[in-house]
Structures are given as structure tokens and as C-alpha cells.
Amino acid sequence: MKNRLLIILFLISNYAYSQKATFVIGKNYEGVIFPKEHPIWGFPPESGRYTPSEEDITRAEKILQDSIGTDYIAENQRQYKKLTINKKTLRKYIRQYLGYLTSEGNVIIRVYLYRGIEMDDEKLSKDIIEIQDGGSNYWNIDINLSTKELSGMSVNGIS
């Protein structure tokens, strides 16, 4: 009985540990990587979740940096009088990263970006932070590492 209890406690602690977000800092970016086991918004992980490596994040950030100024990024900011997301402001955002694998085997990194919002490391690593309105201080985008394409960009509205 004692051995069973120890095994159960070990499995529970191992599961809890595997859900911990990892902090990453690179050139002009910092944020947290959520592992595939981490529940988001209280829901169990979706199928197809993937734990990005720091190398994956570096590649995603390079694709994002190289894409700033493209028609895709500009078009998704059309509600603003001037483009507030640009190469100069991009480094001011803190990030949260989720990884997904498509049925074709492509790796997608979803990046949530926040600027001008007070948050500590614990809050940042606990769950995806949802902000209503907030304008260009909060946005997200999907980056396909396999095709180097961007999709799903969403910039918060203006209240």
C-alpha cells in the first residue's frame, strides 16, 4: 500500500513538473514556451500540441522579424491610422509561445505578444493572458516553421 502511494505521488509530481513553462531570452525577444502538456484556459491540451524548442523559437522569431513590413502584417493593422507594429516596436513585446503540429507534419508556433502591460513571471508562465481591446499592445500570430508563412494574425481592437 505504501509503495502504491509513493508511485501515485511520483506520477502526480512528474505530471505537474512536465506542465511548467520555460523562459526563453533571445536577441530582441523574451517570453515563455508552454509545453504540449500544459492546459490552456483550463482546458486539457488539444491534439496536435507540440513543445517548441528554443531553436524553434529562434527560427520563428527570425521569420517574424523578416516579415515585419510585409503586406500581410500591414493589412492586419488596417484599423489603425499608422502601423504600430514595426521593427522598432517588435522588441518591446513580451511573448508567450505555443506549438502545434499539422496533419501534414508542419510545425506551427503561435506567438502571443504583449506590450505596456504589467505582469510578473508567474502570471506569464501560468496561462495564456487574454486581454480584451488593448489595441496593438496585444496581438497574436501563427508562424509555420516548415513553410515560413504567417497566418492567423489578430490585433486587438480599439475600445
Side-chain angles (χ1 to χ4, degrees), residues 30-155:
E30 65 179 276
V32 294
I33 302 169
F34 287 103
K36 66 181 179 182
E37 302 87 4
H38 193 96
I40 302 296
W41 295 307
F43 295 104
E46 311 97 322
S47 66
R49 281 276 300 276
Y50 166 80
T51 302
S53 67
E54 288 190 30
E55 182 181 286
D56 291 336
I57 300 307
T58 300
R59 290 176 49 217
E61 285 290 340
K62 171 94 171 93
I63 293 167
L64 181 59
Q65 295 254 343
D66 292 346
S67 299
I68 293 295
T70 63
D71 291 341
Y72 180 78
I73 299 288
E75 180 64 25
N76 281 285
Q77 298 183 73
R78 67 182 174 277
Q79 66 196 24
Y80 303 99
K81 292 180 181 176
K82 68 177 191 167
L83 302 181
T84 56
I85 300 167
N86 55 52
K87 288 189 185 223
K88 185 177 178 182
T89 62
L90 186 61
R91 69 180 137 205
K92 296 178 182 180
Y93 291 87
I94 190 136
R95 285 106 150 123
Q96 292 179 308
Y97 304 96
L98 287 175
Y100 294 91
L101 292 174
T102 67
S103 57
E104 296 83 24
N106 292 336
V107 175
I108 307 293
I109 305 297
R110 180 167 297 150
V111 186
Y112 293 86
L113 299 102
Y114 312 92
R115 179 178 72 169
I117 300 164
E118 271 191 48
M119 67 183 83
D120 59 21
D121 290 349
E122 183 180 333
K123 183 176 180 181
L124 190 66
S125 64
K126 188 174 183 176
D127 204 349
I128 297 296
I129 298 168
E130 181 70 24
I131 299 172
Q132 301 300 318
D133 295 324
S136 63
N137 285 337
Y138 170 76
W139 60 289
N140 61 70
I141 193 164
D142 289 347
I143 303 168
N144 187 322
L145 296 185
S146 306
T147 65
K148 299 182 180 180
E149 294 176 338
L150 305 177
S151 64
M153 183 175 174
S154 175
V155 180

